[in-house]
């Protein structure tokens, strides 16, 4: 069977829904939160030199930018062509082969591929204060800009880590000269730059939207993160929880002649958004219930209010069957319960071995989404809870 024939046959057999294999990504910095439902022995499955596994990626057509030791397909999703995924193919190849049949005419015409992905971001300790580049700055280094969003699912936060608080931007009274002074201390000693910022205690079941150019230091809850197909940043904080970060973290996504240009580095910020006195009002995202919710199921928008992506949380009550329709393609991860999802068996992971297939991740093509996915909750006691991530074309996103 040719690759194209295999892709078509898998797509047809799944009635427009692909079952995806788990994708785990290691990082050398910070400490793992160990809430990814991965076996405790497998957090160093990539080897000690790569660091521990701290992320799981969903619906990804791009590789993780993860240093010279990373494999070319690291971070990229695979579609399972059989039950144990011993036969599989890249999700990216399926999108390229089937195009509008998978992602719909609108996204295919505008982007030519699936333009976003999501991930679980799982750190025990806080992350460094950093920003993601906007489109114009990212293009200068051959990349794309990166907006991202956060949601804190209760099902994966059995513990909060050591610092469930996130810094966003800088205090409205902060001047750019004060930030300049701290960045110039990057190689001299601890610049303590979050002294200039403001922190918000994180709330389970809520989220935030973070535009490009806004400096932020994520807290230690496991986070579900819909984001654009990119990973470009500039790190403002040089010492975090006793871990020291080199100057390259500040300038790795700057053109070579600009790596010592402090004005260029400061210019990567969207200063107005960083010192917005109403930052929480503008970027905090409490859930918004969908009108079609009923006693059998509830659906809430958890990521919304931006031009790039959206996400929902879908809950199907025990013993119920529902047909859920959406006007756009989406990826989804099941975080609680078991039953069926379309023609597929579905169950939330409890403890996965590295490399093991799971029954919790799917991608729903636009035609299947419009027709409606039949979901059967086979439990008498637990709800089925799905997190669903969309591209920028869902017309009902608030």
């Amino acid at each position: 069977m040719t690759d194209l024939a295999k892709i078509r046959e898998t797509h047809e057999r799944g009635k427009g829904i692909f079952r995806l294999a788990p994708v785990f990504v290691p990082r050398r910095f910070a400490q793992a939160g160990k809430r990814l439902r991965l076996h405790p022995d497998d957090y160093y499955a990539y080897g000690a030199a790569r660091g521990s596994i701290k992320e799981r990626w969903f619906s990804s057509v791009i590789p993780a930018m993860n240093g010279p030791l990373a494999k070319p397909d690291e971070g990229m999703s695979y579609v399972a062509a059989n039950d144990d995924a011993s036969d599989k193919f890249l999700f990216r190849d399926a999108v390229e082969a089937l195009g509008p049949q998978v992602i719909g005419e609108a996204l295919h015409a505008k982007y030519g591929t699936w333009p976003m992905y999501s991930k679980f971001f799982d750190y025990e300790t806080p992350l460094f204060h950093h920003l993601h580049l906007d489109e114009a700055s990212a293009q200068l280094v051959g990349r794309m800009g990166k907006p991202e969003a956060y949601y804190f699912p209760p099902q994966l936060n059995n513990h909060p880590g050591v610092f469930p608080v996130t810094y966003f931007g800088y205090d409205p009274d902060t001047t750019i000269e004060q930030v300049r002074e701290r960045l110039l201390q990057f190689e001299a000693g601890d610049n303590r730059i979050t002294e200039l910022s403001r922190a918000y205690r994180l709330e389970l079941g809520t989220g935030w939207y973070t535009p490009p150019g806004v400096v932020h230091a994520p807290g230690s809850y496991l986070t579900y993160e819909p984001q654009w197909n990119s990973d470009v940043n500039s790190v403002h904080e040089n010492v975090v929880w006793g871990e020291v970060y080199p100057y390259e973290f500040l300038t790795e996504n700057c053109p070579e002649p600009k790596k010592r240009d402090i004005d260029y580095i400061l210019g990567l910020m969207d200063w107005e958004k960083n010192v917005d006195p109403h930052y929480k009002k503008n970027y905090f995202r409490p859930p918004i219930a969908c009108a079609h919710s009923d006693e059998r199921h509830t659906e809430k928008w958890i990521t919304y209010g931006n031009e790039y992506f959206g996400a929902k949380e879908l809950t199907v009550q025990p013993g119920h069957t529902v047909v859920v329709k959406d006007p756009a393609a989406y990826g989804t991860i099941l975080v609680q319960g078991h039953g069926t999802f379309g023609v597929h068996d579905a169950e939330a992971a409890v403890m996965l071995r590295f490399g093991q297939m799971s029954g919790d991740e799917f991608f729903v093509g636009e035609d299947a989404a419009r027709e409606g996915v039949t979901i059967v909750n086979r439990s008498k006691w637990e709800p089925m809870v799905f997190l669903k991530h969309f591209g920028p074309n869902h017309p009902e996103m608030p």
Side-chain angles (χ1 to χ4, degrees):
M1 183 182 291
T2 66
D3 286 346
L4 178 57
K6 182 188 298 183
I7 290 169
R8 289 192 184 280
E9 193 275 333
T10 304
H11 185 256
E12 292 170 4
R13 179 161 33 93
K15 305 298 183 184
I17 301 174
F18 285 132
R19 194 163 57 97
L20 304 183
V23 176
F24 294 103
V25 174
R27 299 292 188 185
R28 292 193 63 186
F29 49 80
Q31 297 175 30
K34 296 187 176 180
R35 290 163 293 194
L36 292 173
R37 298 177 175 173
L38 185 64
H39 191 284
D41 291 345
D42 290 353
Y43 277 91
Y44 288 91
Y46 286 90
R50 300 296 313 282
S52 58
I53 290 172
K54 303 181 182 77
E55 300 177 10
R56 180 177 171 184
W57 288 28
F58 310 113
S59 311
S60 170
V61 298
I62 64 167
M65 304 302 293
N66 214 6
L69 297 179
K71 296 180 179 179
D73 64 346
E74 192 165 294
M76 300 179 72
S77 293
Y78 277 86
V79 177
N82 60 358
D83 283 347
D84 64 0
S86 58
D87 189 13
K88 61 186 180 181
F89 49 85
L90 280 170
F91 175 56
R92 181 193 63 187
D93 292 347
V95 173
E96 290 180 357
L98 302 183
Q101 289 181 266
V102 178
I103 62 174
E105 293 282 357
L107 290 184
H108 189 258
K110 187 169 184 178
Y111 302 105
T113 190
W114 178 244
M116 60 85 65
Y117 69 105
S118 193
K119 69 183 179 185
F120 286 155
F121 175 90
D122 179 36
Y123 289 74
E124 170 76 8
T125 48
L127 201 61
F128 35 66
H129 208 39
H130 69 288
L131 61 82
H132 298 292
L133 276 60
D134 63 17
E135 188 66 22
S137 299
Q139 284 184 358
L140 297 177
V141 289
R143 311 282 289 282
M144 293 190 297
K146 183 187 177 183
E148 63 184 12
Y150 312 134
Y151 177 71
F152 311 107
Q155 293 84 358
L156 287 113
N157 278 293
N158 56 300
H159 68 86
V162 299
F163 196 74
V165 171
T166 291
Y167 291 93
F168 287 109
Y170 290 108
D171 183 86
D173 293 328
T174 300
T175 68
I176 200 164
E177 288 303 319
Q178 290 175 299
V179 177
R180 176 196 296 268
E181 180 182 350
R182 298 297 179 108
L183 293 185
L184 289 172
Q185 296 172 20
F186 203 99
E187 295 172 287
D190 188 348
N191 68 9
R192 298 179 180 174
I193 201 162
T194 52
E195 292 175 348
L196 305 179
S197 186
R198 55 200 160 170
Y200 299 87
R201 183 165 178 159
L202 303 178
E203 304 173 51
L204 293 180
T206 72
W208 295 78
Y209 170 64
T210 304
V214 171
V215 190
H216 54 290
S220 57
Y221 271 136
L222 180 141
T223 310
Y224 172 66
E225 294 192 2
Q227 55 201 271
W228 208 235
N229 274 350
S230 184
D231 195 9
V232 285
N233 57 50
S234 175
V235 175
H236 282 199
E237 188 175 15
N238 63 341
V239 180
V240 187
W241 216 257
E243 188 168 6
V244 180
Y245 295 95
Y247 183 78
E248 290 72 23
F249 274 58
L250 175 65
T251 62
E252 64 181 339
N253 290 295
C254 296
E256 197 61 39
K258 301 293 187 180
K259 290 187 183 293
R260 291 287 171 177
D261 186 337
I262 189 64
D263 291 320
Y264 180 87
I265 296 166
L266 289 167
L268 299 175
M269 286 188 290
D270 186 324
W271 185 249
E272 182 179 350
K273 289 185 175 67
N274 275 282
V275 293
D276 182 353
H278 302 292
Y279 192 87
K280 183 173 184 179
K281 177 182 177 181
N282 290 326
Y283 299 110
F284 178 61
R285 296 291 184 263
I288 297 176
C290 298
H292 59 257
S293 299
D294 57 28
E295 70 282 355
R296 298 172 303 142
H297 78 302
T298 57
E299 199 162 36
K300 302 173 183 177
W301 283 100
I302 56 175
T303 294
Y304 52 89
N306 70 84
E307 61 186 291
Y308 301 99
F309 39 68
K312 293 181 185 181
E313 179 190 75
L314 168 66
T315 301
V316 180
Q317 296 302 325
H320 283 287
T321 298
V322 296
V323 178
V324 178
K325 297 183 179 181
D326 283 285
Y330 61 92
T332 186
I333 175 71
L334 176 63
V335 295
Q336 184 178 0
H338 74 278
T340 58
F341 185 78
V343 299
H344 299 282
D345 290 329
E347 59 185 29
V350 175
M351 185 181 292
L352 293 172
R353 296 307 306 245
F354 182 77
Q356 176 188 348
M357 187 55 192
S358 67
D360 59 356
E361 186 183 352
F362 305 93
F363 189 89
V364 182
E366 185 172 287
D367 289 344
R370 288 178 180 274
E371 182 178 340
V373 179
T374 299
I375 302 172
V376 181
N377 185 341
R378 297 202 181 280
S379 175
K380 295 179 180 180
W381 304 281
E382 281 198 83
M384 291 180 78
V385 181
F386 295 87
L387 304 177
K388 302 164 59 176
H389 39 275
F390 301 87
N393 64 325
H394 197 301
E396 299 167 10
M397 183 174 73

